[in-house]
């Protein structure tokens, strides 16, 4: 069957535009009018549709290529069409996107200076009808230049910026985000700036006729070629998301805030893949939208609405007795929001175990006696940090973080430890614990714990942990279920060691048993691995010489 060329149709004033997206690949079956590529100028983007249905046999363009009217986009094998009929269609691509709108003031700014109000209207934007306002670059009170972009409108296939037909100060803005506009609609009323060129009549703003013949096809083209270069970000003071109309639509359908994404495409353009990865990251809990982050404290404070649950019960406690109200400390507010997020988003499982630390405790006590004069007190927690490093080395998935569909495996060993302070819980971090001895770790822990109690820990002291140990050993308890400190994937909880009778094969002997509670993220770790991790950790604590193996 003969192959047919699909070419870039008449795209009006577009001269050379860059291919920024390939929406099909060889082997794909496409329908007539299906978008094949997206092209972009500095002012607009548009999707180029196929002039016929068929199977893509060869792509003639690649990302970054410059194309213009007549450039061959791809070779297609027409679907079901008689081979003899097809070539004719090929050489004259369907004029599906032929209309080029006139930019607001293509007619050239009138040189008449006007101090009176000037109406700025939507110019002839070709086949665009009922297009949505998706960006508003200006606000009342702004001074705008001729040709400065005021808004962006978007159809399902293209987006374009609508420039001002006059210079002046915006007295009234007549559109807002989400409005639907058509040719001739009033956008703004300007007070003509002194000496600035202004266009007096609305008619002037639509003076330039559409250049190319419009087709019956519903897809329009933006005004790129005709609009002088202008930096829209200067008008709004913020970087606008850079994405094709179909990606914008896709993001809107998923509720993805494009302005929070980093584009991986050329010039930072946001691609469909970026939107998908962001969605996955949000769903997996690896990231949050700004709205979610703003809701987190509300949720932490019991706002069940944020999770689609019943609102938190509001009770007038004074009905039952005297009460006193106290503000939560800053640390409690922050840690509460974090703990809540981690508890809700991470599928936690906790394995409990015990290990025999009889000999290690005897050794520790002996060391501390010997070092009484030097003042360095070796703590059990410092031994646990060394054991954790060894276990992380043996089970690397415990030293990882989830990032969307990927696991980030760390090759460094920074261990956090929960510290109780009068203002709440904080987690200072011992950096590079693999390179430090037990005595040095004990000293650093002492310093960090003091800084924590004095409220002097800085962000650097509390960041970068791979794994956390939460020890309640000095206080009491048997077991508990520690909450994983995201984005870590596991946490070791430790309670108070106790002498217990253990059968040695001949008799019960007293052993000092340390209770361990390992919480782990079931998306990353399996129960068997967690049991092995605990067992290995316990073996090291029982016979610390194993750490040298
Ligand atoms: N079993 C029995 N006794 C233990 C023990 C254990 N597992 N761990 C420590 N101890 C004893 C020590 O021997 C020491 O006793 P002496 O004063 O008689 O020597 C005492 O408890 C204090 O221990 P330490 O000085 O070694 O301190 P530590 O390393 O246990 O703890 C720190 C330091 C900062 C972790 C601790 O002060 C702390 O804040 N713990 C609370 C952490 C927490 O709140 N976790 C819960 C998080 S989830 O909400």
């Amino acid at each position: 069957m003969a192959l047919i060329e699909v070419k870039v149709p008449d795209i009006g004033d577009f001269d050379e535009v860059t291919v920024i997206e390939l929406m099909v690949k060889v082997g794909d079956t496409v329908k007539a009018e299906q978008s094949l590529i997206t092209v972009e100028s500095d002012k607009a983007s548009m999707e180029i549709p196929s002039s016929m249905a068929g199977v893509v046999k060869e792509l003639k363009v690649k990302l970054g290529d410059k194309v213009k009217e007549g450039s061959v986009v791809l070779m297609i094998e027409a679907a079901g069409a008689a081979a003899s009929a097809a070539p004719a269609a090929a050489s004259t691509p369907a004029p599906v996107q032929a209309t080029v709108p006139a930019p607001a003031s293509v007619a050239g700014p009138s040189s008449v200076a006007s101090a009176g109000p000037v109406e700025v209207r939507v110019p002839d934007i070709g086949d665009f009808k009922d297009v949505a306002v998706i960006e508003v670059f200006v606000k009342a009170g702004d001074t705008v230049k001729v040709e400065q972009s005021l808004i962006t409108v978007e159809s399902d296939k293209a987006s374009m910026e609508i420039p001002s037909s006059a210079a002046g100060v915006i007295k009234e803005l007549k559109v807002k985000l989400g409005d639907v506009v058509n040719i001739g609609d009033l956008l703004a009323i300007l007070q003509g700036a002194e000496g600035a060129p202004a266009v007096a009549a609305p008619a002037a703003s639509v003076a330039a006729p559409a250049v190319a013949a419009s087709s019956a096809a519903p897809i329009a083209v933006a005004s790129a070629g005709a609009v002088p270069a202008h930096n829209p970000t200067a008008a709004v003071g913020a970087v606008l998301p850079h994405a094709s109309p179909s990606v914008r639509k896709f993001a809107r359908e998923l509720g993805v805030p494009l302005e929070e994404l980093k584009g991986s495409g050329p010039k930072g353009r946001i691609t469909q893949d970026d939107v998908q990865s962001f969605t996955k990251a949000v769903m997996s809990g690896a990231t949050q939208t700004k709205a979610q982050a703003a809701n987190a404290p509300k949720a932490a404070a019991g706002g069940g609405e944020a999770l689609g649950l019943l609102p938190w019960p509001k009770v007038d406690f004074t009905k039952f007795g005297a009460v006193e109200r106290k503000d939560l400390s800053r640390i409690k507010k922050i840690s509460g929001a974090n703990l809540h997020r981690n508890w809700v988003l991470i599928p936690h499982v906790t394995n409990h175990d015990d290990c025999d630390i009889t000999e290690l405790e005897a050794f520790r006590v002996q060391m501390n006696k010997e070092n009484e004069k030097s003042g360095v007190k070796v703590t059990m927690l410092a031994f646990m940090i060394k054991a954790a490093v060894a276990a992380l080395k043996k089970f690397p998935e415990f030293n990882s973080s989830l990032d969307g569909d990927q696991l980030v495996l760390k090759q460094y060993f920074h261990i956090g430890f929960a510290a109780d302070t009068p203002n709440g819980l904080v987690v200072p971090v011992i950096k590079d614990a693999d390179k430090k001895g037990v005595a040095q770790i004990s000293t650093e822990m002492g310093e960090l714990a003091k800084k924590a109690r004095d409220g002097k820990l800085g962000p650097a002291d509390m960041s970068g942990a791979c794994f956390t140990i939460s020890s309640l050993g000095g206080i009491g308890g048997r077991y508990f279920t520690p909450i994983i400190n995201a984005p870590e994937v596991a946490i070791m909880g430790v309670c108070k060691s106790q002498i217990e009778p253990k059968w040695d094969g001949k008799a019960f002997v007293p052993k000092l048993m340390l209770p361990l509670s390992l919480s782990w993220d079931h998306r990353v770790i399996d129960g068997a691995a967690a049991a092995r991790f605990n067992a290995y950790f316990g073996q090291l604590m029982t016979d610390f010489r194993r750490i040298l193996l």
Side-chain angles (χ1 to χ4, degrees), residues 339 357 361 364 368 377-382 384 417-421 425-426 428 445 448-450 452-453 469-476 480-483 491 494-498 512-515:
L339 289 164
I357 56 164
E361 177 61 4
R364 189 185 76 86
N368 284 341
K377 184 182 165 197
V378 176
T379 67
M380 187 53 77
L381 193 47
M384 287 185 242
F417 65 97
D420 186 30
T421 78
L425 183 69
V426 288
M445 264 176 35
L448 286 168
K450 180 171 181 327
R453 282 191 298 275
I469 302 182
S470 177
S471 171
L472 295 171
I475 305 167
F480 68 117
T481 53
I483 297 177
I491 181 170
V494 181
C495 282
K496 195 175 178 68
S497 56
Q498 293 189 34
L512 186 63
M513 302 303 292
L514 179 72

Side-chain angles (χ1 to χ4, degrees), residues 455-514:
K456 289 191 176 147
L457 283 179
D461 294 322
M462 293 186 281
S463 52
C466 307
F467 180 85
T468 295
I469 302 182
S470 177
S471 171
L472 295 171
I475 305 167
R478 282 301 277 164
Y479 302 98
F480 68 117
T481 53
I483 297 177
I484 297 164
N485 194 16
E488 295 155 43
V489 294
I491 181 170
M492 177 67 86
V494 181
C495 282
K496 195 175 178 68
S497 56
Q498 293 189 34
I499 298 282
E500 290 175 23
K502 291 288 166 190
W503 185 252
D504 73 355
K506 290 186 195 136
F508 281 103
V509 288
K511 294 282 182 192
L512 186 63
M513 302 303 292
L514 179 72

Side-chain angles (χ1 to χ4, degrees), residues 22 118 233 467:
L22 301 174
V118 175
T233 58
F467 180 85

